[in-house]
Each structure stands twice: as C-alpha cells, then as structure tokens.
Amino acid sequence: MKLERILTGFIPEPRGRDGLALAVLIARQSGAALTVANVHPPAWETPGPGKVDAEWRTYLREQAQHTLDVAGELLAGQEDVSAEFVMHPQRGSGRGLSELARATGADLVVVGSAPRGARGRISLSSTADQLLHASPVPVALAPKGYAASAPAAFDRITVAYRRGPGCDHAVRLAAKAAAIFGVPLRLVTLVLRGGGRPGRVEDAMLERLREQVLADLRAVARGPRRSTHVDLEVLSGRDVASALASTSWFPGEMVMCASSEEGPLRRVFLGDTSLKIIRAAPCPVIILPRVPAMERTRAVHLKR
C-alpha cells in the first residue's frame, strides 16, 4: 500500500476537524504529503445577469477560502506535516473528492463521520456514502469526536479477514501499511453464533469453524510475518458488534477492510459485513478498493 499523498475533505464543523485530525496523523506517521480540500457548489449552470453571476462566484470562492483558512489555522505549528490547500467545485462532495483523488494522485481519502452518530463511533455521511461506492483509492473514516481524543501515533493495524482473494490482497496491503507506520499487524476473523440458546451440536460446529478459520489466518499470515509482527485472533459473538467488543483495542488502533467482491473493479464498494464493522469499530476504519483477479494472481506469483 502506497502512502505518499493523503487527501482530506474539510468543512468548518466537528466532522471536518475529525477527518483532518486523522489525515494529519496518517501523514505524519507515514511521511506523506497532505492535501486539504474544500468541495463547494459550482456556479449556476444557466447564465443569469452578469453582475449576479460574478457576485455568486465571488461569494463561493470567499466561503471556500475561509474554510481552508480555518483548516490552515488548525494545522498551524505542525511543521512536520507538509500541506497544500485546494478548492474544487462539485455538487456532491463525495464525487468532488473522488475527482480530486484522481487529479492529485492521492493514495488515500480521509473524511469524518456524520454528526448524528454516537461519539467514538462511525456514522456514514452522504459524502462518505458517495466515496464508499465510487472512490478509486482507499477511504479512511474517522469516528465522531476523533479530533478531541486522537492518539499521538498509531499502535496497530487490524484487518477484518474472511477467506478469499480480495481479503488476501487486503492483508498484503495492510502489511505494507504496518511496515510504513512501524506497527504490528493483527488479523481477526469473526465467528458469529445464532441468537438462540447454544446447544451441544452448535458448540461442536462452532469449535470446528473456529479451528478452520484459525488455520486460514495462519496460512495468510505467513507472508506478512517476514516483514512485521502479526497477531491472530478469532472473535466470537451473537453479531458483529458483540464479536468486536469481545477483544481489546489499542488507543492508536486502525481497522482495514476489503471491499465487497460484488463491487466494481478498482473502486471502493461497501458490503454488508464491512458496513457492520464500520458502525461497530471503536477506531478509524479504512476500506480498500476491489482489485481485479488478474492483478491479485500476479501478486501471488511474484510473491512465490
């Protein structure tokens, strides 16, 4: 996973500050350059009186510049982060950030959480929703209130693993990110039991499943273990939220998930399980784009 340029969308609200705090932390620990962007509405498509059009364009530019000035003030004194500030006209902020990601060569797009969510958890805004169905690069989501409680550095990267070529590729990308950050990697698989009362047969089946997924984790961990420390965990619970609550989390944790195998190639596309993980995780989450099977196969052959 390459981390040379980070793009974050900023608005002068708590969610904008949360996304900026996460982007700064990633940029600082990876040595990446940071682009702070404000996506604002474009001027009217239908021309009006010249004076009105000019005044409206001036107003939009002034508002966008004021927003970027606020971001600049928040970054004041952080000489260890190299930042540039851009404004971009687009009706949809998520679409605008996707366009900017291509134009700037960004390796990661970072946004905050919707204001309606619980503190310390991620709730998808319309911007995040657009990104999670269209972004050509990974998308990082900051929990609500992250700016007020952001750690000094990342401590560990956790990958939510499910056997399959998409997740195998995600593990390789996460291992590269862990090496860049200088942190250990943790691979977890969720084993969910039904809501009914467990019986002897169900317990035996779950135990066999746990043994199988642990074997899968050991197999996929062989490659990353050559470059970074890897921990393995099988998390059990009635649902995704209870399974994630059954383990401990570092203050500087980050979760990575693969995109759904049903989504378009080279795009981030959120599956049902990934959505549940995003909502239940107590830390930032990165969703990785789906990679073509041919490219995944090439990576396996090169590795061998």
Side-chain angles (χ1 to χ4, degrees), residues 37-57:
N38 176 250
V39 179
H40 62 82
W44 291 310
E45 295 179 1
T46 304
K51 185 176 180 181
V52 174
D53 274 354
E55 289 176 348
W56 178 240
R57 287 190 176 89

Side-chain angles (χ1 to χ4, degrees), residues 33-257:
L34 176 63
T35 299
V36 182
N38 176 250
V39 179
H40 62 82
W44 291 310
E45 295 179 1
T46 304
K51 185 176 180 181
V52 174
D53 274 354
E55 289 176 348
W56 178 240
R57 287 190 176 89
T58 299
Y59 171 78
L60 293 174
R61 284 196 300 269
E62 288 177 348
Q63 289 295 106
Q65 187 58 57
H66 171 71
T67 294
L68 295 177
D69 289 343
V70 172
E73 292 172 2
L74 292 172
L75 292 177
Q78 302 193 46
E79 290 83 5
D80 55 346
V81 176
S82 173
E84 65 173 355
F85 302 86
V86 299
M87 56 183 79
H88 182 68
Q90 174 57 257
R91 294 193 182 280
S93 52
R95 290 191 295 273
L97 288 173
S98 293
E99 292 169 356
L100 278 173
R102 295 184 181 91
T104 63
D107 302 306
L108 178 72
V109 180
V110 184
V111 293
S113 192
R116 65 179 178 275
R119 188 174 182 83
R121 293 292 186 270
I122 296 170
S123 181
L124 298 183
S125 62
S126 58
T127 299
D129 188 61
Q130 290 174 9
L131 283 170
L132 291 173
H133 288 85
S135 177
V137 298
V139 176
L141 305 169
K144 182 178 179 180
Y146 193 73
S149 58
F154 291 112
D155 300 319
R156 182 172 63 186
I157 292 177
T158 290
V159 178
Y161 180 78
R162 182 178 61 182
R163 184 178 180 181
C167 273
D168 290 351
H169 185 72
V171 169
R172 291 191 289 272
L173 294 181
K176 291 179 181 179
I180 291 171
F181 290 146
V183 300
L185 180 66
R186 176 172 65 159
L187 308 182
V188 303
T189 292
L190 310 185
V191 174
L192 307 182
R193 64 166 67 242
R197 196 170 180 178
R200 193 175 300 173
V201 174
E202 183 184 3
D203 286 342
M205 292 176 61
L206 286 172
E207 185 57 34
R208 285 198 296 272
L209 179 57
R210 286 176 61 86
E211 292 173 359
Q212 178 59 58
V213 297
L214 186 55
D216 292 340
L217 287 176
R218 288 179 180 136
V220 77
R222 288 184 189 127
R225 275 183 170 149
R226 298 169 187 167
S227 58
T228 188
H229 176 78
V230 182
D231 292 318
L232 310 177
E233 287 188 39
V234 179
L235 309 182
S236 300
R238 296 184 310 277
D239 51 31
V240 170
S242 62
L244 292 181
S246 70
T247 189
S248 60
W249 298 88
F250 289 170
E253 194 96 38
M254 179 168 347
V255 169
M256 287 190 177
C257 293

Side-chain angles (χ1 to χ4, degrees), residues 267-286:
R267 293 288 187 278
V268 170
F269 194 82
L270 206 58
D272 183 60
T273 301
S274 293
L275 178 59
K276 292 175 181 177
I277 290 172
I278 286 174
R279 289 172 172 166
C283 60
V285 177
I286 293 180

